[in-house]
C-alpha cells in the first residue's frame, strides 16, 4: 500500500508541476527509492545506515531537519537545512557498513527533487562505489546548478559521473564505476553564501543501457613510435562484472588531420571499423595499426590523433594519439656534452615550453595526466601521502611511466622529473625500509652509516621510477619547540656538515656522473636558509608558533650556523636546493624580515653566486603564495630572486599563465627564464632521463629487503643514546623477567613518526616493520602491559617505552596542540613501573622530552628518537648485541623555560649536554687526570698529522672518563666545556677537545 501511494503521489506531481519530467518508458524498471525523508533513514553515521553532515571547520556542517511541507513532492516531509560554509561542507547518506552494498547497475541514473533558490550556484553530487563501506569507497561526482525557483526533479544519468581526482578517501580503488556495490551518495553545498535548501525523493530511475556497463578503452592514450615504424593501438572491450555484451559494439576509427603530422608525408592514413559482436566477453581486444613514413630530415615530435566513434559502449575518455618521436636533433645525441645538449634544446623552445619546465604540479591535480601535455609540464610530485592505489612499487612505476608517456606527446619530448619527500627512506611507499629520522642519524655520529642510509633510500626510490628526492634537510635546529626538529641532524652546524655524506649516498659522485644509475637520485638541500633558527612566537602561518617564522641573526651567526651546511652541500655536488618558508632578518642590513623565497641576495647572490651552486632551486609547496603583493608579484618576485622551478601543486595553470604574461610584458627577463630552464634541463640530462625516461624496476626486489633493513637496523641501534644507567640496568640479560609498558612499545606508527605513508604520519600499523616490543620478545622473557595495569610483582626489570605521537612541520610546534611533557598515561606508566622495580625508560620522540622531575626515580634513560621500522635495532642495544654508542645531537633541557638552549651558549646548564652518551661496550680508561693529559698530547699530535680516526678515538676515550666521573652530577661548569668538546672534535680540533673535556673533569 505504501509503495502504491508513493507512485501515485509522484505521478500526480509529474502531471502537475511545471518542471516535471516525462513518465518513464513502459519497459523501464520501476524506480527504486533511496531516500523518502519520511523518517525511515535516521540521522546517524557509520557503521549504521544514516544521514550525517560534515565540513572543513566546526561551523561548516549544515543544519539538517525533516520538515513537514504541504508542497512536498512525495509524502509529507522533506529534508531541509540551512548552511553558511567558509571552507567546505555538506551531507551524506551512507548505507550500513555491516550489511551488503547495494546494486544500482540495472538503472540509468539517480534523481531527486530540489527546491530551487535561483542562486546560480553549483552543487556537487557524488556517489560512492565499491570499497569496504561508505567511508572507504571510491567517489564519483557531478554537479547541477541551482538556477531555478521552486521544486524541480534533477535527473543525473550515471554516465555523467566522473572519478574525483582531488580527493579519494582510500586513494581510489579501480577507477571504474561498477555500480554493483554502491554505498550511498553525498552533496557538497555552495561555499561563501548563506542559504537554505530542501530536497525530496531520492531514487534510482530508468533502464541501464549497455553503454553504462560496457566501455571501450585503448591500451594507452599516447603511442610513441620511431619515424618509419608502425604504431599499434590495442582496443579493448570491458564490461562491469565481466558479463558478455548483449548487443554488438562497433568502433569506427580514422586518423584525423588535426595533429601536427602531415598525412601522406609523415604517415599513411588509415580508417575502418572494428566490431565486437553480441555475446563478446569482457576483455576482448582488437588492433589498429598506423604506418609512419621515414624521411631524411631531423624533426621534433609529430602527432597523429586517432578518432574513435563508438556505438553500443562508452568511448575512451580521450582521443588516442600516435606520436612520431623527435629524431636527428643535437639535444637527443647522448654523445654530446650536456652543456651543448642544453644549449641546443633551449634554442628550440617556445616561451610556453620554457615556462612549463619551470612548473611543478601535484599528481593528484593532473588526474590521468593530460595536462602534462597541454601545459608542457616539466615536473610532478607526490606530496606526503599522495600515492597510487595500490601503494606498491609496481603501481608507483606504472603511474610515473604513465605520466612520462604524456610528456612524449609534447613537441620536444622533454621528460618529466618526478619528486618525492623521501626524508627517511621511501616513506610514502608501504613496505619500504624506513630509516631513523635525521635527528637519530645525527645521534649516531657515523657519517659512513649516513651515506649507506642515503644509498638504500636512493635505491628504493629510483626502483619505483622516481629520480628526485626532496632530501636531505640541512637545517640546524636551534629550538626543540619546532615541529620539524627531528628533520635536523642536530643543533651544531659541524654535526650537520659531518652527516652530509648522505648526499653521496643519494646522488653518488659529486660531479653527477652516477645520477643516471638505477640506484641514485637527485638530492635536495633544504630549507635554504635558517629554517632551524626561527624565533618562538614569530610564525604567522595559521596556528603555527615557530615553523615558518622569522630567523633573526647577525651576519656572522648566519654564516657560521645556518649557511655552513650549504657550503658543504654545494661542494658535494647537491643537485637542487629548496628555499625555506621562513623569513630571514639579518640584523643591521636594514631590510627587516624577508621571506626566503624573495631573498635574491641569498639565492642569487650567496648560493648561486658566491658558493657557485650550479643546480636548480625548487620552491616549497605553494610557498610563493606567502609573498607580499598580488599573484603576478608573487611570481615575479620569486623568479627574480632565483627560484627556478615553482612547486604550485594545484595552481600550475595560474602560475604558467602568469609567468608567461610577466615575460611578455617585460617584467621578467627572458635571460632569467633561460637561466632557470638551463639549470633544470642540465639535471634532467645528468639523470639520463632523455635516454631512459621510464622506470627501471630491476631494483624493485630490493625494496624492504633484508639487506636494506639491516642498514636501517644498524642505524636504529647506533642512534640510541644512553643518558643514564644506574646500577648497570642495561644491557638486559636473556634470563631476566622483563615487564614492558608504555604507549610507544608496540606502535610502529609512533616509532616511525611523521612523514611516514602520510604527511603527518599516524599511530598504529600502516607499513611493514618490527616494533620495539616484538623485537624484545625475540631476545628475552617479556610481559607487556601498555598502561602498566597488569600486576608488577615478580619481575627483574621494567622497560617503559614512552614519548610522542606523530606530527610533521608546524602542526607539531609546541603551543600548537603539542608540548614537551610526557602524556599523563606515559607518566603514570613510568611512575608505576619504576616504583615497583628497577627500570629503564625509553623515550621515542622527535625531540627531547622534559623528564627532570622523574629522573631520580628512573634507573636507566634512553633517548630512542624515532628509530624507523626496525625495532630490532633498539632491542640489539637493550640486550647487549650491540653497545650503546649514540651521543646527543641536541641539548637535553631541564625545563622549557631554558629554550632555546644550544652548544656554545654563554649560559648553559642543561639536564644533559650536547654530545652526552654513555656506553655499554667499552671499558673506561683508568688513570683520571693523568690519562686525560696523555690523551690530550696524543690528540694534538693526531690533529697535526691529519689522522682523523685516531683523533676522534682519543676524544672518545677522554669523554668516557669524564662521563664516568660526573655520573648524574652534571652542572653548568661541567656541561659547557663538555658540549664544546664535541663541537671541537667535529671540526677536527682534537687536542682542544680533550682540553675542554679535561676542564669538565676538573669541574666534576
Amino acid at each position: 500500500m505504501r509503495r502504491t501511494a508513493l507512485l501515485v503521489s509522484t505521478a500526480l506531481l509529474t502531471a502537475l508541476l511545471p518542471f516535471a519530467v516525462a513518465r518513464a518508458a513502459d519497459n523501464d524498471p520501476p524506480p527504486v527509492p533511496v531516500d523518502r525523508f519520511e523518517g525511515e533513514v535516521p540521522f546517524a553515521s557509520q557503521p549504521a545506515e544514516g544521514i550525517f553532515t560534515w565540513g572543513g571547520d566546526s561551523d561548516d556542517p549544515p543544519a539538517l531537519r525533516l520538515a513537514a511541507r504541504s508542497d512536498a513532492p512525495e509524502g509529507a516531509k522533506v529534508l531541509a537545512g540551512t548552511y553558511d560554509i567558509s571552507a567546505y561542507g555538506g551531507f551524506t547518506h551512507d548505507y550500513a557498513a555491516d550489511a551488503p552494498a547495494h546494486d544500482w547497475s540495472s538503472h540509468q541514473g539517480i534523481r531527486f527533487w530540489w527546491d530551487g533558490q535561483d542562486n546560480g550556484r553549483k552543487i556537487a553530487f557524488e556517489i560512492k562505489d565499491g570499497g569496504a563501506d561508505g567511508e572507504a569507497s571510491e567517489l564519483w561526482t557531478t554537479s547541477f546548478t541551482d538556477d531555478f525557483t521552486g521544486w524541480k526533479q534533477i535527473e543525473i544519468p550515471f554516465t555523467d559521473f566522473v572519478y574525483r581526482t582531488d580527493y579519494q578517501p582510500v586513494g581510489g580503488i579501480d577507477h571504474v564505476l561498477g555500480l554493483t556495490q554502491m554505498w550511498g551518495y553525498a552533496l557538497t553545498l555552495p561555499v561563501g553564501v548563506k542559504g537554505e535548501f530542501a530536497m525530496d525523493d531520492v531514487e534510482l530511475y530508468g533502464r541501464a543501457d549497455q553503454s553504462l556497463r560496457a566501455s571501450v578503452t585503448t591500451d594507452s592514450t599516447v603511442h610513441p613510435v620511431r619515424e618509419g615504424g608502425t604504431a599499434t593501438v590495442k582496443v579493448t572491450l570491458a564490461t562491469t562484472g565481466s558479463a558478455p555484451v548483449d548487443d554488438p559494439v562497433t568502433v569506427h576509427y580514422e586518423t584525423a588531420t588535426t595533429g601536427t603530422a602531415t598525412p601522406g608525408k609523415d604517415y599513411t592514413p588509415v580508417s575502418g571499423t572494428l566490431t565486437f559482436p553480441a555475446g563478446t566477453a569482457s576483455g576482448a581486444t582488437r588492433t589498429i595499426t598506423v604506418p609512419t613514413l621515414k624521411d631524411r630530415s631531423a624533426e621534433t615530435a609529430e602527432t597523429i590523433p586517432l578518432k574513435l566513434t563508438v556505438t553500443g559502449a562508452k568511448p575512451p575518455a580521450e582521443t588516442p594519439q600516435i606520436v612520431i618521436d623527435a629524431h636527428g636533433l643535437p639535444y637527443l645525441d647522448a654523445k654530446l656534452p650536456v652543456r651543448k645538449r642544453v644549449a641546443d634544446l633551449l634554442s628550440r623552445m617556445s616561451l610556453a615550453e620554457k615556462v612549463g619546465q619551470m612548473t611543478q604540479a601535484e599528481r593528484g591535480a593532473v588526474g590521468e595526466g593530460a595536462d602534462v601535455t597541454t601545459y608542457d609540464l616539466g615536473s610532478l610530485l607526490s606530496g606526503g601521502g599522495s600515492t597510487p592505489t595500490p601503494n606498491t612499487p609496481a603501481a608507483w612505476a606504472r603511474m610515473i611511466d604513465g605520466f612520462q608517456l604524456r610528456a612524449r606527446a609534447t613537441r620536444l619530448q622533454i621528460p618529466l622529473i618526478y619528486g618525492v619527500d623521501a626524508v627517511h627512506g621511501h616513506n610514502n611507499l608501504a613496505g619500504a625500509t624506513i630509516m631513523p629520522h635525521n635527528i637519530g642519524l645525527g645521534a649516531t655520529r657515523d657519517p659512513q652509516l649516513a651515506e649507506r642510509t642515503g644509498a638504500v633510500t636512493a635505491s628504493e626510490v629510483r626502483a619505483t621510477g622516481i629520480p628526485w628526492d626532496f632530501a636531505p634537510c640541512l637545517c640546524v635546529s636551534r629550538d626543540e619547540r619546532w615541529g620539524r626538529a627531528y628533520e635536523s641532524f642536530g643543533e651544531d652546524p659541524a654535526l650537520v656538515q659531518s652527516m652530509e655524506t648522505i648526499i653521496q649516498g643519494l646522488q653518488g659522485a659529486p660531479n653527477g656522473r652516477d645520477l643516471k644509475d638505477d640506484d641514485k637520485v637527485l638530492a635536495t638541500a633544504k630549507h635554504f636558509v635558517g629554517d632551524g633558527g626561527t624565533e618562538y612566537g614569530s610564525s604567522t602561518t595559521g596556528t603555527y608558533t615557530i615553523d615558518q617564522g622569522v630567523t633573526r641573526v647577525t651576519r656572522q651567526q648566519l654564516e657560521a650556523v645556518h649557511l655552513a651546511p650549504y657550503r658543504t652541500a654545494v661542494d658535494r655536488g647537491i643537485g637542487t636546493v629548496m628555499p625555506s618558508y621562513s623569513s630571514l632578518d639579518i640584523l643591521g642590513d636594514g631590510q627587516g624580515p624577508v621571506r626566503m623565497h624573495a631573498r635574491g641576495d641569498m639565492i642569487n647572490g650567496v648560493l648561486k653566486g658566491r658558493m657557485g651552486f650550479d643546480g636548480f632551486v625548487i620552491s616549497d609547496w605553494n610557498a610563493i603564495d606567502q609573498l607580499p603583493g598580488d599573484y603576478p608579484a608573487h611570481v615575479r618576485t620569486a623568479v627574480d630572486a632565483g627560484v627556478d622551478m615553482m612547486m604550485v601543486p594545484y595552481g600550475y595553470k595560474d602560475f604558467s599563465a602568469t609567468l608567461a604574461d610577466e615575460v611578455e610584458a617585460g617584467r621578467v627577463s627572458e635571460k632569467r627564464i633561460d637561466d632557470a630552464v638551463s639549470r633544470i634541463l642540465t639535471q634532467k640530462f645528468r639523470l639520463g632521463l632523455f635516454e631512459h625516461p621510464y622506470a627501471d624496476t630491476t631494483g624493485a626486489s630490493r625494496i624492504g629487503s633484508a639487506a636494506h633493513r639491516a642498514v636501517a637496523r644498524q642505524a636504529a641501534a647506533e642512534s640510541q643514546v644512553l643518558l643514564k644507567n644506574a646500577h648497570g640496568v642495561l644491557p638486559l640479560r636473556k634470563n631476566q623477567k622483563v615487564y614492558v609498558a608504555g604507549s610507544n612499545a608496540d606502535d610502529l606508527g609512533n616509532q616511525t613518526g611523521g612523514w611516514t605513508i602520510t604527511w603527518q604520519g599516524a599511530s598504529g600499523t600502516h607499513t611493514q616493520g618490527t616494533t620495539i616490543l616484538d623485537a624484545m620478545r625475540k631476545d628475552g622473557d617479556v610481559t607487556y602491559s601498555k598502561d602498566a595495569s597488569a600486576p608488577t610483582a615478580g619481575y627483574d626489570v621494567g622497560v617503559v617505552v614512552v614519548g610522542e605521537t606523530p606530527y610533521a612541520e608546524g602542526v607539531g610546534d609546541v603551543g600548537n596542540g603539542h608540548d614537551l611533557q610526557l602524556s599523563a598515561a606515559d607518566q603514570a606508566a613510568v611512575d608505576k613501573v619504576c616504583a615497583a622495580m628497577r627500570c629503564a625508560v625509553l623515550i621515542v620522540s622527535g625531540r627531547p622530552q622534559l623528564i627532570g622531575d622523574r629522573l631520580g626515580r628512573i634507573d636507566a634513560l634512553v633517548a630512542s628518537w624515532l628509530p624507523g621500522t626496525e625495532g630490532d635495532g633498539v632491542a640489539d642495544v637493550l640486550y647487549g648485541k650491540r653497545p650503546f654508542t649514540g651521543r646527543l645531537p641536541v641539548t637535553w633541557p631541564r625545563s622549557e623555560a631554558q629554550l632555546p638552549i644550544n652548544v656554545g651558549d654563554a649560559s648553559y646548564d642543561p639536564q644533559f649536554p650536547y654530545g652526552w652518551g654513555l656506553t655499554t661496550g667499552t671499558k673506561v680508561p683508568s688513570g683520571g687526570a693523568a690519562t686525560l693529559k696523555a690523551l690530550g698530547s696524543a690528540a694534538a699530535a693526531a690533529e697535526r698529522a691529519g689522522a682523523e680516526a685516531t683523533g676522534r678515538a682519543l676524544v672518545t676515550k677522554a669523554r668516557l672518563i669524564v662521563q664516568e666521573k660526573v655520573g648524574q652530577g652534571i652542572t653548568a661548569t661541567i656541561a659547557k666545556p663538555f658540549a664544546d668538546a664535541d663541537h671541537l672534535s667535529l671540526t677536527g680540533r682534537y687536542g682542544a677537545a680533550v682540553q675542554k673535556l679535561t676542564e669538565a673533569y676538573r669541574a666534576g
Side-chain angles (χ1 to χ4, degrees):
M1 288 294 293
R2 177 62 179 156
R3 177 61 185 154
T4 303
L6 290 173
L7 290 176
V8 169
S9 173
T10 302
L12 285 171
L13 284 164
T14 300
L16 294 173
L17 291 172
F19 294 101
V21 296
R23 292 182 63 183
D26 291 340
N27 62 348
D28 281 354
V32 170
V34 177
D35 268 327
R36 296 307 193 195
F37 302 120
E38 300 299 316
E40 74 281 10
V41 176
F43 291 111
S45 58
Q46 296 276 277
E49 178 171 9
I51 299 168
F52 61 93
T53 62
W54 39 265
D57 298 320
S58 60
D59 58 350
D60 281 348
L64 300 183
R65 69 186 188 279
L66 294 177
R69 289 270 294 256
S70 59
D71 64 342
E74 179 280 323
K77 297 178 181 178
V78 302
L79 180 68
T82 57
Y83 59 90
D84 184 7
I85 301 167
S86 59
Y88 62 88
F91 62 92
T92 292
H93 174 186
D94 273 357
Y95 294 136
D98 57 358
H102 294 212
D103 186 347
W104 293 1
S105 64
S106 63
H107 290 273
Q108 180 183 353
I110 189 167
R111 66 189 180 195
F112 51 90
W113 292 89
W114 188 262
D115 187 15
Q117 305 298 306
D118 197 19
N119 57 24
R121 296 301 186 106
K122 285 189 179 296
I123 298 162
F125 188 95
E126 69 186 22
I127 54 179
K128 304 185 169 197
D129 177 56
D133 55 53
E135 298 309 291
S137 58
E138 197 167 70
L139 305 183
W140 291 74
T141 187
T142 187
S143 66
F144 65 95
T145 303
D146 187 338
D147 55 2
F148 54 90
T149 302
W151 289 106
K152 178 179 179 179
Q153 193 172 42
I154 307 295
E155 285 195 348
I156 307 176
F158 289 130
T159 50
D160 284 1
F161 287 90
V162 296
Y163 176 80
R164 275 191 70 171
T165 57
D166 58 334
Y167 169 72
Q168 287 289 340
V170 290
I173 300 169
D174 58 8
H175 296 206
V176 174
L177 181 56
L179 295 172
T180 57
Q181 291 185 299
M182 302 302 295
W183 291 104
Y185 67 89
L187 278 86
T188 302
L189 295 166
V191 174
V193 60
K194 193 172 183 177
E196 58 184 27
F197 75 92
M199 70 181 298
D200 201 13
D201 191 21
V202 183
E203 64 183 14
L204 309 177
Y205 74 93
R207 176 179 178 270
D209 57 35
Q210 182 171 281
S211 64
L212 184 64
R213 66 180 187 85
S215 61
V216 167
T217 60
T218 58
D219 54 333
S220 176
T221 304
V222 179
H223 295 79
V225 61
R226 289 187 177 183
E227 186 189 47
T230 298
T232 300
V233 180
K234 187 165 71 173
V235 179
T236 300
L237 175 68
T239 62
T240 301
S242 300
V245 291
D246 299 324
D247 303 311
V249 174
T250 60
V251 181
H252 178 73
Y253 63 89
E254 60 179 322
T255 47
T257 58
T258 53
T260 57
T262 304
K265 175 179 177 291
D266 297 314
Y267 67 97
T268 302
V270 299
S271 63
T273 299
L274 306 176
T275 301
F276 297 91
T280 300
S282 179
T285 62
R286 304 286 187 270
T287 300
I288 301 169
T289 57
V290 180
T292 68
L293 304 174
K294 192 167 188 175
D295 57 35
R296 296 184 178 180
S297 59
E299 295 174 300
T300 56
E302 298 171 306
T303 57
I304 310 164
L306 184 62
K307 183 180 178 182
L308 303 179
T309 304
V310 179
T311 304
K314 189 175 181 179
E318 296 180 58
T319 299
Q321 290 192 87
I322 289 89
V323 179
I324 304 173
D325 284 338
H327 55 277
L329 301 171
Y331 76 87
L332 297 171
D333 186 354
K335 296 179 182 177
L336 289 178
V338 167
R339 60 179 180 79
K340 288 189 175 182
R341 298 178 74 182
V342 169
D344 178 70
L345 178 52
L346 190 68
S347 71
R348 301 176 187 279
M349 296 175 71
S350 67
L351 175 59
E353 288 165 334
K354 292 175 182 177
V355 167
Q357 287 303 299
M358 296 174 66
T359 308
Q360 183 183 66
E362 218 284 335
R363 59 166 285 278
V366 299
E368 297 299 311
D371 278 357
V372 171
T373 308
T374 303
Y375 293 91
D376 290 291
L377 295 178
S379 181
L380 294 179
L381 84 151
S382 278
S386 179
T387 68
T389 300
N391 188 0
T392 64
W396 277 92
R398 282 194 303 270
M399 176 187 72
I400 292 166
D401 282 355
F403 291 137
Q404 288 289 15
L405 195 58
R406 296 287 189 165
R408 304 299 292 173
T410 61
R411 186 177 69 95
L412 295 166
Q413 296 186 311
I414 303 172
L416 290 166
I417 180 169
Y418 197 103
V420 294
D421 285 279
V423 298
H424 62 141
H426 195 353
N427 43 255
N428 268 349
L429 172 64
T433 307
I434 304 301
M435 303 291 171
H437 270 294
N438 282 356
I439 195 167
L441 292 183
T444 70
R445 297 300 201 281
D446 190 338
Q448 288 72 37
L449 179 58
E451 182 171 348
R452 290 171 63 203
T453 66
V456 168
T457 298
S459 172
E460 297 197 1
V461 169
R462 196 68 183 256
T464 56
I466 301 167
W468 186 13
D469 184 4
F470 304 134
C473 185
L474 301 184
C475 53
V476 182
S477 176
R478 306 291 284 180
D479 192 329
E480 279 62 62
R481 290 170 290 190
W482 189 33
R484 303 192 81 140
Y486 63 76
E487 294 186 51
S488 172
F489 291 114
E491 69 187 34
D492 182 356
L495 174 57
V496 175
Q497 288 174 285
S498 74
M499 302 306 287
E500 290 185 54
T501 49
I502 198 170
I503 294 171
Q504 264 55 70
L506 293 166
Q507 289 195 170
N511 64 5
R513 69 170 184 266
D514 300 326
L515 284 172
K516 64 183 181 302
D517 294 350
D518 66 0
D519 62 351
K520 289 291 177 271
V521 294
L522 197 68
T524 307
K526 63 183 190 184
H527 304 87
F528 187 82
V529 59
D531 53 333
T534 51
E535 288 187 358
Y536 188 77
S538 67
S539 181
T540 57
T541 299
T543 55
Y544 294 4
T545 58
I546 184 169
D547 189 31
Q548 304 185 21
V550 180
T551 299
R552 292 184 174 88
V553 287
T554 65
R555 178 73 64 177
Q556 190 276 333
Q557 288 170 330
L558 176 66
E559 294 284 344
V561 177
H562 299 291
L563 276 172
Y566 290 92
R567 290 194 294 269
T568 303
V570 171
D571 291 343
R572 288 186 172 277
I574 195 76
T576 61
V577 170
M578 181 183 291
S580 175
Y581 281 116
S582 58
S583 299
L584 179 62
D585 184 359
I586 303 175
L587 302 179
D589 74 350
Q591 294 190 64
V594 179
R595 290 280 183 185
M596 275 307 308
H597 282 75
R599 291 214 65 140
D601 61 328
M602 300 304 300
I603 300 173
N604 286 325
V606 175
L607 179 65
K608 292 181 176 180
R610 195 182 81 200
M611 292 185 183
F613 172 63
D614 63 359
F616 70 88
V617 176
I618 170 72
S619 86
D620 210 332
W621 180 285
N622 277 338
I624 63 170
D625 291 349
Q626 297 185 3
L627 300 181
D630 58 14
Y631 192 68
H634 298 170
V635 172
R636 183 171 61 250
T637 299
V639 171
D640 283 344
V643 184
D644 302 305
M645 182 185 286
M646 298 297 167
M647 190 185 291
V648 278
Y650 294 92
Y652 58 93
K653 297 176 185 179
D654 288 342
F655 169 75
S656 58
T658 301
L659 180 55
D661 288 346
E662 290 297 294
V663 175
E664 289 170 350
R667 290 185 289 269
V668 174
S669 72
E670 291 192 40
K671 181 179 179 182
R672 170 68 192 106
I673 299 300
D674 287 352
D675 171 61
V677 176
S678 295
R679 289 169 175 272
I680 295 163
L681 294 177
T682 295
Q683 299 302 341
K684 290 187 175 185
F685 280 119
R686 286 176 174 172
L687 285 162
L689 295 177
F690 282 81
E691 289 70 48
H692 303 288
Y694 303 117
D696 182 345
T697 60
T698 54
S701 62
R702 296 193 294 271
I703 294 174
S705 65
H708 284 185
R709 290 183 184 275
V711 175
R713 180 174 182 168
Q714 181 182 347
E718 291 192 24
S719 72
Q720 303 299 294
V721 180
L722 183 58
L723 298 173
K724 178 181 180 182
N725 194 25
H727 315 298
V729 167
L730 295 177
L732 304 172
R733 297 186 299 278
K734 283 183 174 291
N735 62 356
Q736 287 179 310
K737 292 186 66 177
V738 182
Y739 186 101
V740 179
S743 61
N744 286 354
D746 194 31
D747 194 306
L748 195 63
N750 291 355
Q751 188 175 303
T752 52
W755 287 109
T756 310
I757 306 302
T758 58
W759 173 43
Q760 289 294 314
S763 299
T765 301
H766 47 41
T767 189
Q768 298 167 23
T770 304
T771 67
I772 294 170
L773 174 67
D774 285 340
M776 291 181 66
R777 282 173 168 158
K778 299 175 186 178
D779 290 317
D781 182 358
V782 170
T783 296
Y784 174 57
S785 176
K786 181 176 180 178
D787 60 358
S789 59
T792 56
Y795 293 93
D796 298 307
V797 64
V799 175
V800 191
V801 189
V802 295
E804 296 186 300
T805 54
Y807 54 81
E809 300 190 38
V811 175
D813 285 354
V814 167
N816 189 27
H818 294 265
D819 57 40
L820 300 181
Q821 302 286 345
L822 298 179
S823 70
D826 278 349
Q827 290 180 27
V830 170
D831 291 346
K832 183 173 182 181
V833 175
C834 293
M837 65 194 82
R838 288 187 175 180
C839 70
V841 174
L842 276 60
I843 298 181
V844 174
S845 64
R847 53 197 168 190
Q849 303 292 282
L850 302 174
I851 42 75
D853 57 340
R854 285 175 168 78
L855 188 59
R857 300 191 293 270
I858 295 170
D859 296 293
L861 180 65
V862 180
S864 288
W865 310 115
L866 298 169
T869 50
E870 307 313 298
D872 287 308
V874 180
D876 286 344
V877 292
L878 290 178
Y879 277 94
K881 292 181 180 178
R882 287 179 178 272
F884 277 96
T885 56
R887 309 208 304 273
L888 283 180
V890 294
T891 300
W892 197 285
R894 295 183 187 275
S895 70
E896 192 171 329
Q898 288 186 312
L899 296 175
I901 183 170
N902 296 286
V903 57
D905 288 353
S907 176
Y908 189 74
D909 185 20
Q911 188 91 62
F912 297 102
Y914 169 78
W916 186 269
L918 308 178
T919 185
T920 53
T922 302
K923 186 178 179 180
V924 178
S926 59
T931 301
L932 283 172
K933 183 177 180 180
L935 289 171
S937 298
E943 180 180 335
R944 290 191 296 271
E948 295 181 6
T950 300
R952 287 194 296 270
L954 292 167
V955 174
T956 296
K957 289 182 178 181
R959 180 174 57 83
L960 294 178
I961 293 171
V962 175
Q963 288 181 154
E964 182 176 63
K965 180 185 181 186
V966 169
Q968 294 302 298
I970 302 171
T971 63
T973 54
I974 295 168
K976 183 171 176 53
F978 186 95
D980 290 344
D982 202 78
H983 169 75
L984 290 166
S985 179
L986 284 165
T987 57
R989 289 172 287 175
Y990 309 118
V994 175
Q995 286 179 2
K996 284 290 182 181
L997 288 168
T998 302
E999 182 182 333
Y1001 181 87
R1002 289 170 180 159

